[in-house]
Amino acid sequence: MLAGIAAQLRGALGILAKRDVQIPARYLSGEPGAGSAADRPAALGDDCAAIPDGDGYLLLAAEGIWPAFLEGDPRFAGYSAVMVNISDIYAMGGRPIAVVDVVWGTSAGALEPVWEGMIAASRAYGVPIVGGHTSARSPYNALAVAIAGRARRLITSFAARPGDVLVAAIDLRGEMHAEHPFWDASTGTDPARLRGDLEVLPALAEAGLCDAGKDISMGGVAGTLLMLLETSGAGAVLDLAAVPRPRDVRDLSSWLLAFPSYGFLLSVRPDAAGDVLSAFARRGIASAAVGAVDGSRRLTLEAAGERQTLWDLAAEPLTGFAGEGAR
């Protein structure tokens, strides 16, 4: 069974698409700022660019929306474009400032639901849309959103260490999208709760309880963990049975690839794991210790006493952005 799950995960588009990042990784590797951590203004390969700024960091991020998603559900695509950028900022221990957009449509009518969704998310999360570019004269529909934020202390993809406890935190109070692998625990939820739940992340960073992690993205738990391990130059064992999962989602492989509206994977020092789990529990968010980080540079799946290597990052890079420990 475990070999079948590993094969399904390895062939999933959400994970394979991460290999496209090798293109910018190759071009940026020789650019100023791409050398040692001490030399570069922002580490390459994180959820956001984190630029030192006074007593903290300026955070910048951007996301493009998958064309099939935009065509099939333009309103939710607009909502998600804002939501996922906000998640990127919180994933790094920051708080969002504002977003800008780039929207292309074949007509004014094609743009209406996209804008309805973006405005709904902007209001729900309290993050204003302050500019961008809109055109209704395109031969196709396209959407991208960028965001700025600030952090006092960072949660980064470069700080996972052997011996860390892996903590997955996912809001299970939602439902799966009818056509796409998106777990929606956001639309229709009280905005005050949405904002309060996200505040857990900067609170953990500022309390010194967590400095390593990522938000769970299109690659799901498995793909996100691979990216975290690659940039940290580490490996891990992932206990599949421990990953928080809704009761009505039976297919484990599909869930491991799902994109939750609220989902974070953190690498936590063992003495802080209890406090981290308690912080999510106080907000009603499902969280669990789901594995441990090691120095193998392999992601190993574990279930029912069986183990299976999913990916050997030393032999086969995923994104091409490798941290100091991988060199």
Side-chain angles (χ1 to χ4, degrees):
M1 181 189 79
L2 195 54
I5 291 175
Q8 187 172 346
L9 295 179
R10 280 187 58 86
L13 178 61
I15 291 180
L16 292 178
K18 302 299 183 184
R19 301 177 79 169
D20 297 347
V21 181
Q22 292 182 26
I23 300 169
R26 187 174 71 250
Y27 274 92
L28 293 172
S29 63
E31 291 300 297
S36 70
D39 295 334
R40 54 183 170 238
L44 302 175
D46 224 327
D47 285 317
C48 303
I51 302 169
D53 182 34
D55 60 350
Y57 299 85
L58 175 65
L59 303 178
L60 298 173
E63 296 279 355
I65 294 301
W66 192 251
F69 181 30
L70 180 61
E71 293 296 331
D73 195 342
R75 190 183 190 282
F76 189 47
Y79 187 97
S80 297
V82 174
M83 177 184 69
V84 297
N85 273 282
I86 290 170
S87 183
D88 279 341
I89 295 291
Y90 279 104
M92 292 197 60
R95 295 177 177 87
I97 298 170
V99 300
V100 295
D101 61 86
V102 178
V103 190
W104 292 84
T106 57
S107 66
L111 296 178
E112 294 292 340
V114 178
W115 267 102
E116 288 172 4
M118 289 196 296
I119 290 296
S122 171
R123 291 173 177 169
Y125 288 97
V127 181
I129 300 172
V130 297
H133 176 90
T134 298
S135 172
R137 303 173 186 277
S138 170
Y140 53 82
N141 299 318
L143 172 63
V145 170
I147 192 166
R150 279 194 58 80
R152 296 189 183 99
R153 298 184 69 174
L154 290 178
I155 297 173
T156 86
S157 300
F158 295 86
R161 305 176 190 169
D164 281 0
V165 176
L166 288 171
V167 171
I170 305 173
D171 189 351
L172 301 182
R173 298 165 292 188
E175 61 183 5
M176 196 68 77
H177 190 275
E179 297 180 15
H180 299 282
F182 302 142
W183 178 258
D184 177 16
S186 178
T187 59
T189 301
D190 175 28
R193 197 190 90 191
L194 291 176
R195 300 174 195 182
D197 289 349
L198 286 168
E199 276 293 317
V200 173
L201 281 304
L204 291 175
E206 290 162 11
L209 293 171
C210 180
D211 64 0
K214 294 182 75 69
D215 71 325
I216 299 172
S217 65
M218 280 296 296
V221 171
T224 299
L225 180 52
L226 274 172
M227 291 188 290
L228 174 62
L229 298 176
E230 185 174 32
T231 47
S232 289
V237 175
L238 176 64
D239 180 356
L240 301 188
V243 176
R245 179 168 40 142
R247 291 181 180 178
D248 58 346
V249 174
R250 305 287 182 176
D251 187 343
L252 178 58
S253 297
S254 296
W255 179 245
L256 292 172
L257 293 166
F259 187 174
S261 60
Y262 185 107
F264 298 92
L265 190 61
L266 306 177
S267 186
V268 181
R269 309 293 106 80
D271 59 355
D275 289 335
V276 170
L277 292 167
S278 295
F280 288 112
R282 286 193 293 270
R283 297 294 309 180
I285 296 163
S287 65
V290 298
V293 178
D294 58 40
S296 68
R297 296 188 62 200
R298 294 186 298 272
L299 175 52
T300 301
L301 307 180
E302 182 178 63
E306 183 184 356
R307 288 191 173 189
Q308 178 78 37
T309 297
L310 174 63
W311 204 289
D312 184 345
L313 288 162
E316 186 179 3
L318 183 64
T319 68
F321 284 120
E324 300 297 325
R327 297 193 176 117

